[in-house]
Amino acid sequence: MDNVPPGLLTTTQLAKELNVSTKTIHRWVAAGKIRPTLTTPGNQFRFRLDDVLEQLGQPRKRPE
């Protein structure tokens, strides 16, 4: 099981939340459009959804 810190999403989870492909997430990171909250020693990205939405200029999600 992946040890994702609480509140952080994997690239796949973020892609699902934003309804885009994982390739799109990787392109956005490479272009500097979004920044991962954390990069693991294995070079995998972890994201905080509210931070990404802010970077994309979208409203933050409200707590459910």
Side-chain angles (χ1 to χ4, degrees):
M1 183 78 182
D2 192 10
N3 291 327
V4 180
L8 296 183
L9 301 173
T10 65
T11 301
T12 300
Q13 291 168 328
L14 180 64
K16 286 180 183 178
E17 284 287 331
L18 298 178
N19 200 31
V20 298
S21 72
T22 56
K23 285 185 179 186
T24 297
I25 299 296
H26 285 283
R27 277 195 304 268
W28 288 350
V29 170
K33 187 171 182 176
I34 62 173
R35 291 179 314 278
T37 303
L38 173 75
T39 303
T40 69
N43 209 32
Q44 295 179 341
F45 302 131
R46 300 295 181 259
F47 302 90
R48 189 166 279 110
L49 181 58
D50 281 345
D51 292 345
V52 172
L53 292 175
E54 186 175 306
Q55 291 169 45
L56 293 173
Q58 298 180 17
R60 297 180 146 227
K61 286 201 169 195
R62 294 184 180 172
E64 295 181 13

